[in-house]
Amino acid sequence: MSTTVAVSDTGSETLFVLVAGSTETARIEGLSAAGATPRLVAHTSSADLEIVRYGRPVRSPVTPVSPSGCPTPAVVTRAVRELQRFEVVCVDAGLAKPTAAPTVDIGQTAGGDIRDPEPVEHARSLFERAETLGANLPASEIRIGETIPGGTTTALAVLTALGERQAVSSSLPENPLSLKRTVVDEALQSSGLSSGESAGEPIQTVRHVGDPVLCSVAGLTAGAVATDKTVTLAGGTQMAAAGALARHAGVDAPLELATTSFLANDQTANISGLANDLSLSLTVTDPGFDQRDHPAMNAYVAGEAKEGVGMGGALALADRSSVSSSDLLNRIETVYGRLLEDNPEVTA
Amino acid sequence: MSTTVAVSDTGSETLFVLVAGSTETARIEGLSAAGATPRLVAHTSSADLEIVRYGRPVRSPVTPVSPSGCPTPAVVTRAVRELQRFEVVCVDAGLAKPTAAPTVDIGQTAGGDIRDPEPVEHARSLFERAETLGANLPASEIRIGETIPGGTTTALAVLTALGERQAVSSSLPENPLSLKRTVVDEALQSSGLSSGESAGEPIQTVRHVGDPVLCSVAGLTAGAVATDKTVTLAGGTQMAAAGALARHAGVDAPLELATTSFLANDQTANISGLANDLSLSLTVTDPGFDQRDHPAMNAYVAGEAKEGVGMGGALALADRSSVSSSDLLNRIETVYGRLLEDNPEVTA
C-alpha cells in the first residue's frame, strides 16, 4: 500500500528539484492550457507541487485536469516517484497561491507581465539565492523541473533576447505561436531591447522579459555545476531556455535535457535544434501512452500538455531503472483516478 | 549507500511533522543549551530541520553540537529516519533564520519575549492555519515534533497560565528551574494573568505567555484529530504543554506522548504525572546509549539535551519496527560523524 523514495544519506543520490512560480503573462487569454480560467491558472503550480509531494491536491482548491480529461504532467512525475523512489525538493520561486507542499523559498515574488518593463525586478537576488541553493544541496546529481503557467511565452522572450533559436512548444494542441510572438515583441519593445541584444546578460534578460522560474533554474544550475554536481534539466523548451540563461551566465559544464516524446514530436518546438545550439545532451523518453486507451493518455497522444513538472526527467529515471512499462502506465492510471475521486471543489 | 523513506500513496502512512520556530525568550542567558551563544541559538532550529531533511546542515552556518560534544537530538531523529523510512514535513511556524529545508510556512513571525505582554500576537491565525494543515495532511497517523530553543520556559508559562502541573524539563543537565519560574512570573505579570486564569482559553494563553511552536502543535493536533487521524506528540514537556493547549481547546480524542528515557528520568520534569493529568498515553523509549562509550551518547546519559526534534517519537517508531539496537547506535554514530566532518564555519 505504500512505496518508498530514496533519501540520500551520503550526498550521492539523485535529488529532484521542482521550481514553481508564476508570471502575470499567463493571464493573457489563449496562451496556456494550464488551468481553465485565469483565476484557476494561478493555483496550478501550487497544486502541482502537492500532487508530486503528497499524491493529490491537499490545500489547493483545483484539480489540474483539463475539460478534455488531460491531467497535469505532475500526475506522471508523481507516478514515477511512487515507483522509482526519488526524493523531491520543492522550490517556491514566486508562487501566486499558497501550497501545502513544503518548499524552499527563494523568491516569493510573483513574476510580472513581460509586456511591462521589469517583470522580474529582483532577478539578481533570485539568481544568487538559487545559485547558493544549487551549491548547497547535498546530492551528486540533481534533476530540475518547472511548473509555471505561461512559461513557454516567457521562454520565447528569453530565447529571443539572448539571440537563440526562437522555438518553443505549448501545452495546447495548437501552439498559439503568433500570439506568443506578438507578446514577445511587445515585451522587447517595452524594455527597449532588440532581438539578441541581451546576449551574455542573463540577469538583465530575465529582469526585462523573463520569469522567476527560468531565473531560478539557471541559478540552481550554475550553483550545482560549480560544486561538481551533474545537472539534468527535466523538461522541454522552458528548461532549454533556462539552460540558455545558464550558458549565457558562463556555465560550460555538460548539461542534459530530458524531455518527453510528445514534446520532441512538436514540430513547432524543434527541441533537438535548440538542444544542439546550446550543447545540451538530449534524452527523449516515450512512455508508450499509445498502448492504452485511457483518457489521460489519449490526451497526451493527441498533443495536449506534452511536458512539464519534470515529466521527461522522471520518465528518463523510470526508463533507466527496472520499472516496467505496464507498472508505469498502471500507476499513472492510479494517480489520475485518485485526483478525480478527490475532485476538490473549485473555490478559486 | 542510501536508505529509503516511506511515502504515502494512499493516505494510510505515518507522516512525521516537525514544527520549528523561535521565541525571543531564548535570549535570556542561562535558559537553554540549544546553542552556545544567543547569536548561534537563533540558527539551531533551522539547522535541525536541515539535519533531519538532508542528513547534515546545508545552509545553516552552525553545527548544533555542544562544547561537551552533545549533538542536537535531530541527529537521532535523522538516524532513525535513515533506517526506518518515514517521511517528514517541516513546518515553519516562525523561524528566526532561513533554512534550506523545504517548509510549509504557517507563521513566519518569530515569537517575542514572554516577559512582554503579547509575544504571539497572531496566535489565533497561527492556530487556525495549523489546524487547516493538520486537517489536510494526507496520512492516517501523524507524529509531531518540535524544535525551538527556550521552549521549556514558554511551556512552563503555558502550563502555569492554564492551571496545569508546572513541571518542565531542560536541555541542560541542571534544570535552571528557579530562573524559569522568575521569567514565568514576569510573563504572567506583564499580561495581567494569574496562575490558572486562562484555563479553557488556549489562544489567549499562547498570545500572552506562549510561543508559536506550542500554538502550531496544538492547532495541528486539533485539525488532525478532527479528521480522524491518530496523533502522537513526539517529545517531552513542551509537547505535553502543546497537548495541554489542545485539551483546553476541547480536543478529547486519545493522544499519545512519545518521549525518551532521558526525559522520563528527569526528576524535575515528572512527565508521567503531566501525561496522566492530560490523559496523554505515555510511551518512553530507551535507545540504550549506555551500551556504548561514545561522546554523543555519553552526553545524553549524563543528562544533556534529553529530547527534542521528535527524538522520542522517532525512537518509538524504531522500537516498533525491526530496527536492531546496534544498527540504530551505529547509524547515530554515522550521522554524528558526518556533522563533525562537515563542521561548517560558524559565521553567525
Side-chain angles (χ1 to χ4, degrees), chain B residues 332-346:
Chain B
I332 291 169
E333 291 189 13
T334 302
V335 177
Y336 180 74
R338 207 188 289 147
L339 252 64
L340 292 194
E341 159 201 312
D342 285 2
N343 193 23
E345 205 181 341
V346 171

Side-chain angles (χ1 to χ4, degrees), chain A residues 204-298:
Chain A
Q204 287 309 313
T205 303
V206 166
R207 179 197 300 269
H208 291 299
V209 300
D211 69 52
V213 169
L214 290 171
C215 182
S216 301
V217 173
L220 276 163
T221 301
V225 303
T227 47
D228 297 324
K229 297 175 181 82
T230 303
V231 174
T232 298
L233 301 168
T237 46
Q238 287 166 256
M239 296 308 288
L245 287 167
R247 292 299 187 213
H248 283 257
V251 171
D252 56 8
L255 294 174
E256 184 188 355
L257 181 69
T259 195
T260 66
S261 52
F262 310 111
L263 194 295
N265 291 337
D266 181 354
Q267 299 303 320
T268 65
N270 193 357
I271 192 73
S272 64
L274 190 53
N276 193 54
D277 294 350
L278 298 165
S279 300
L280 308 174
S281 94
L282 184 64
T283 302
V284 176
T285 309
D286 180 351
F289 284 179
D290 52 358
Q291 295 162 32
R292 297 255 168 127
D293 183 20
H294 182 276
M297 302 186 202
N298 292 343

Side-chain angles (χ1 to χ4, degrees), chain B residues 278-299:
Chain B
L278 298 164
S279 301
L280 308 174
S281 95
L282 185 64
T283 303
V284 176
T285 310
D286 180 351
F289 284 180
D290 53 357
Q291 295 161 32
R292 296 256 168 124
D293 183 19
H294 181 277
M297 302 187 201
N298 292 343

Side-chain angles (χ1 to χ4, degrees), chain A residues 33-53:
Chain A
T37 74
R39 278 203 312 166
L40 299 185
V41 164
H43 287 283
T44 301
S45 297
S46 302
D48 280 344
L49 296 186
E50 293 175 355
I51 291 166
V52 176
R53 186 58 167 74

Side-chain angles (χ1 to χ4, degrees), chain B residues 66-135:
Chain B
S66 80
S68 69
C70 182
T72 167
V75 164
V76 178
T77 299
R78 171 68 192 190
V80 177
R81 183 169 179 241
E82 291 183 8
L83 296 167
Q84 179 54 27
R85 314 176 171 195
F86 57 80
E87 195 169 18
V88 171
V89 172
C90 296
V91 175
D92 181 353
L95 282 166
K97 299 286 177 184
T99 180
T103 54
V104 181
D105 304 330
I106 60 171
Q108 296 186 280
T109 306
D113 189 320
I114 55 172
R115 295 171 303 177
D116 292 329
E118 295 204 324
V120 191
E121 275 182 43
H122 62 306
R124 180 165 305 278
S125 65
L126 187 60
F127 184 94
E128 288 170 355
R129 284 187 193 176
E131 197 174 17
T132 302
L133 181 64

Side-chain angles (χ1 to χ4, degrees), chain A residues 137-223:
Chain A
L137 285 174
S140 58
E141 180 189 3
I142 66 171
R143 317 208 131 212
I144 315 176
E146 55 68 35
T147 169
I148 174 170
T152 57
T153 304
T154 46
L156 180 61
V158 160
L159 290 169
T160 304
L162 292 175
E164 299 291 349
R165 187 187 295 255
Q166 294 165 43
V168 293
S169 187
S170 171
S171 55
L172 293 161
E174 296 293 321
N175 196 343
L177 263 179
S178 95
L179 173 58
K180 285 181 185 174
R181 289 208 174 103
T182 305
V183 171
V184 169
D185 286 345
E186 285 184 49
L188 291 172
Q189 209 160 22
S190 77
S191 301
L193 284 175
S194 61
S195 173
E197 192 179 336
S198 66
E201 297 181 46
I203 308 268
Q204 287 309 313
T205 303
V206 166
R207 179 197 300 269
H208 291 299
V209 300
D211 69 52
V213 169
L214 290 171
C215 182
S216 301
V217 173
L220 276 163
T221 301

